[in-house]
Amino acid sequence: SPKVPNPLGASIIAKTNTRPNLPKKKLKMEAIGVLMMCPMSAYLENELDKRFKLFRFWNQPQKEEFVKEKANSIRAIVGNASAGADAKLIDSLPGLEIVASYSVGLDKIDLGYCKEKGIRVSNTPDVLTEDVADLAIGLILATLRQICACDRYVRSGLWTKGDFKLTTKFSGKSVGIIGLGRIGLAVAHRAEAFGCPISYYTRSEKPDSKYKYYSNVIDLASNCQILVVACPLTKETRHIINREVIDALGPKGVLINIGRGPHVDEPELVSALVEGRLGGAGLDVFENEPEVPEQLFGLDNVVLLPHVGSGTVETRNAMADLVIGNLEAHFLGKPLLTPVV
Amino acid sequence: MAEQQRHNHLPKLLVLGISPVFRLHEQKFAQRFEILRAWETPIFTEEFQASHAPHVRAMLCWGGTPVTAEQLSHLPALRLVVTSSTGVNHIDLRECHRRGIAVANSGNVYAQDVADTAVGLLIDVLRRISAADRYVRGGLWPVKGEYPLGSKLAGKRVGIIGLGNIGLEVAKRLEAFGCIICYNSRKKKPSVPLPFYLDVCDLAANCDILVICCALTDKTHHMINKEVLLALGKEGVVVNIARGAVIDEKAFVQCLVQGDIAGAGLDVFECEPNVPKDLLELENVVLSPHRAVFTADSFGDCFEHISGNLEAFFSNKPLLSP
């Protein structure tokens, strides 16, 4: 099989090129207004531009005026993990028919309101599951084995002065997962290859699961060494990682967040890490991205990533294809590829 | 006087140098063996030769203390060399064999930690974890925006060089990530259902990633050379957790700088602790200061293992890891 193009070393984000699995025949949808909420993918932008009348929300200097002016022509919104569609925006776009999210998470979309108004919603499940799960394990290893700190150590010339300290073994450690959906299961499958016993918390026990179930997060945190957040962000799961859970995880415990920043009470997390009450953390998401608490910058037992869970060329292209595919399906009167509402 | 008597009951163990395991567990070693510290009383001195040389049957060394033919000539009673490392390239094996001296290494105790490091380095290179962490710590996320995309691991073809304990642990882990595994080894392993390549260049030509897990020997010295790297190709990634000298480091650095391969994760180098300056400038490499085995858990296991080998030897039982 041909080697997959890999831009490692290249400095540009995604190359724009035609994808072979999209229909070649151009559908006459140039008049359909699509509102893209923020920059998310040059490739996606290009493909939307080719097919629809694309409005870039972030480029509009007077956003409220713009929305009023274009209200009737906008029939679709493309959002992502940073920006979606709240009730106010939905109300200001009477022609809105579909919100297609360039993400699997839906916390930026008022789903209930969409359902009420008969507005369709689609997301990008499955195509990003492996990348996010890979990153979770990458974060665990980077945090426990201090891989980033080791790299800094070598680059700063300190190795010639002395050896780096001992770190903590990953294989065989107990892993607790919050949320056992596609991503949670993929994390579990990978961690099992490292000999890790797996336990989980979900709203209700999964009868088919071979993993150990805990009916509340505190019990889960008390009984695992590595706690991974892999559930959707909802009203119920906001700050699901709070002071009590952090205390239960303890000074030898490690928190891995590949969910959403608001899953964690961030100030509590920061003080626990700074004070040594929590053993370490690997974080891909934060409460106010792109702001990251500076008190974490000096710690060797944390790894800080700029929300790159699905950040590979292969996956982002697949996600973009799904967004386009869902929009085209909708406007052609066909079933959505990955409907949510 | 009482202590001397107690010592007389314990088997003598010559410790050639202060290995990290010895430093951590010195007291425990001293409880089971009479420790002769070569750095306090060197083996070629009259004192040592008179008092101890005739009685020293076992020695503990590590990667940092080469065991040479000359040293062995000062230890006529020696019958066992135990190293706390997996690698035995620092021991004159031929001379040991000639003298009838058994050699035991750390067996399997480090295999999991080393495999974990290999996987950790690989994910880091593909997903740019260390580089992105630097980006965030440098305050660049709010300023420069989204970080450049990485490369997907699932579906990549991984060639493991050396399918021993460590290579097998690496294979087991990467299969769970959806990687397609093949290998190169001195000989094909009939019990292993993975594609085998006798030629390293062939392996490289058919893989996206090479993970080096083999011992350093005359045959494997500089085995990963320019030809192999060019066969791997511009999108190729190399992970080395074995020994620096398996790779022709000069050619390797050149390939990285020129973009003939895409990236590398390295725990070992030809002249540790010196790392080629060119590597320090690159964003697509992850550098680790030979720490693949250095966890507290492993060292505890290693102590038990070394003890086990020594006790087996002194009770005339088979060694755990010859």
Side-chain angles (χ1 to χ4, degrees), chain A residues 3 6 130-131 134 145 151-152 155 164 167 169 171 194 297 299 302 304 308-309 311 313-314 316, chain B residues 112-113 116 127 133-134 137 146 150-152 157 173 177 207 232 280 282 285 287 291-292 294:
Chain A
K3 295 192 182 188
N6 180 334
E130 288 166 321
D131 270 352
D134 290 353
R145 301 299 303 276
D151 181 89
R152 283 196 291 276
R155 282 175 200 263
F164 196 77
T167 58
K169 184 170 181 168
S171 278
F194 291 81
F297 291 1
L299 300 178
V302 305
L304 309 167
V308 293
V313 173
E314 298 94 329
R316 290 287 174 85
Chain B
Q112 293 177 343
D113 272 331
D116 289 358
R127 300 298 300 274
D133 175 271
R134 270 199 295 280
R137 281 173 205 256
E146 194 175 298
S151 179
K152 187 169 176 154
R157 299 164 304 165
R173 282 154 178 71
F177 289 80
C207 287
L232 185 63
L280 304 178
L282 296 175
V285 300
L287 308 167
R291 293 283 95 176
F294 283 74

Side-chain angles (χ1 to χ4, degrees), chain A residues 6-43:
Chain A
N6 180 334
L8 214 58
S11 59
I12 54 169
I13 297 181
K15 291 190 178 133
T16 57
N17 52 6
T18 357
R19 303 296 291 168
N21 57 338
L22 287 179
K24 293 252 185 316
K25 182 181 166 196
K26 199 166 166 199
L27 301 144
K28 289 196 195 324
M29 299 182 175
E30 298 98 338
I32 297 174
V34 174
L35 178 63
M36 194 176 195
M37 296 310 295
C38 57
M40 52 188 86
S41 159
Y43 166 65

Side-chain angles (χ1 to χ4, degrees), chain A residues 15-220:
Chain A
K15 291 190 178 133
T16 57
N17 52 6
T18 357
R19 303 296 291 168
N21 57 338
L22 287 179
K24 293 252 185 316
K25 182 181 166 196
K26 199 166 166 199
L27 301 144
K28 289 196 195 324
M29 299 182 175
E30 298 98 338
I32 297 174
V34 174
L35 178 63
M36 194 176 195
M37 296 310 295
C38 57
M40 52 188 86
S41 159
Y43 166 65
L44 177 58
E45 241 179 272
N46 261 304
E47 294 300 311
L48 287 170
D49 238 340
K50 282 187 214 168
R51 288 163 172 72
F52 306 105
K53 176 99 187 75
L54 180 65
F55 298 103
R56 294 169 177 76
F57 193 62
W58 67 96
N59 279 345
Q60 309 303 329
Q62 316 283 4
K63 289 183 167 53
E64 284 203 25
E65 255 93 78
F66 158 78
V67 166
K68 274 197 199 112
E69 204 185 299
K70 304 291 175 190
N72 290 319
S73 62
I74 290 175
R75 293 168 65 188
I77 285 176
V78 171
N80 70 350
S82 315
D86 57 14
K88 184 174 169 211
L89 182 62
I90 293 169
D91 276 339
S92 60
L93 297 171
L96 184 65
E97 297 168 26
I98 177 168
V99 178
S101 196
Y102 182 69
S103 69
V104 67
L106 297 156
D107 43 287
K108 292 287 198 238
I109 300 170
D110 191 332
L111 291 174
Y113 204 53
C114 284
K115 194 155 187 193
E116 204 185 299
K117 295 273 171 181
I119 295 168
R120 305 303 309 276
V121 177
S122 71
N123 63 349
T124 61
D126 295 315
V127 294
L128 49 63
T129 299
E130 288 166 321
D131 270 352
V132 179
D134 290 353
L135 196 78
I137 303 296
L139 276 170
I140 293 173
L141 285 164
T143 307
L144 284 177
R145 301 299 303 276
Q146 302 210 3
I147 295 178
C148 306
C150 278
D151 181 89
R152 283 196 291 276
Y153 192 78
V154 175
R155 282 175 200 263
S156 65
L158 284 169
W159 192 14
T160 53
K161 310 253 179 356
D163 284 327
F164 196 77
K165 54 199 157 170
L166 290 181
T167 58
T168 306
K169 184 170 181 168
F170 171 39
S171 278
K173 293 279 159 56
S174 51
V175 173
I177 305 175
I178 299 177
L180 209 63
R182 287 168 289 248
I183 294 173
L185 276 173
V187 173
H189 178 68
R190 283 152 179 72
E192 279 188 302
F194 291 81
C196 299
I198 312 289
S199 50
Y200 71 101
Y201 162 76
T202 46
R203 281 172 301 186
S204 50
E205 187 170 359
K206 311 247 167 191
D208 296 330
S209 176
K210 50 180 168 165
Y211 306 129
K212 181 162 171 63
Y213 175 69
Y214 286 97
S215 57
N216 67 83
V217 184
I218 303 233
D219 281 350
L220 181 69

Side-chain angles (χ1 to χ4, degrees), chain B residues 48-218:
Chain B
F48 184 92
Q49 286 299 311
S51 324
H52 303 299
H55 311 293
V56 168
R57 296 172 58 215
M59 167 165 78
L60 175 64
C61 68
W62 67 297
T65 54
V67 177
T68 61
E70 217 230 298
Q71 284 168 319
L72 292 173
S73 68
H74 291 297
L75 301 164
L78 194 70
R79 287 292 166 270
L80 173 67
V81 172
V82 178
T83 176
S84 61
S85 57
T86 316
V88 291
N89 49 297
H90 56 289
I91 300 170
D92 190 333
L93 294 174
R94 211 174 290 140
E95 186 67 12
C96 286
H97 185 75
R98 194 179 74 76
R99 288 176 171 271
I101 298 172
V103 178
N105 70 349
S106 60
N108 214 13
V109 297
Y110 294 139
Q112 293 177 343
D113 272 331
V114 179
D116 289 358
T117 299
V119 176
L121 286 172
L122 178 58
I123 301 177
D124 193 322
V125 175
L126 288 178
R127 300 298 300 274
R128 307 178 187 253
I129 294 179
S130 286
D133 175 271
R134 270 199 295 280
Y135 187 79
V136 172
R137 281 173 205 256
L140 295 172
W141 192 10
V143 174
K144 289 178 85 173
E146 194 175 298
Y147 193 72
L149 297 176
S151 179
K152 187 169 176 154
L153 175 57
K156 290 278 183 349
R157 299 164 304 165
V158 177
I160 298 180
I161 296 178
L163 205 65
N165 290 331
I166 294 172
L168 281 169
E169 294 283 342
V170 173
K172 183 172 91 171
R173 282 154 178 71
L174 289 180
E175 278 180 326
F177 289 80
C179 294
I180 300 157
I181 316 284
C182 52
Y183 73 103
N184 159 268
S185 218
R186 279 170 301 185
K187 287 192 297 252
K188 183 173 158 76
K189 306 204 177 230
S191 58
V192 174
L194 298 172
F196 169 73
Y197 288 86
L198 188 60
D199 182 63
V200 177
C201 260
D202 272 347
L203 181 79
N206 286 282
C207 287
D208 308 298
I209 296 162
L210 288 180
V211 183
I212 303 171
C213 303
C214 60
L216 176 63
T217 64
D218 290 333

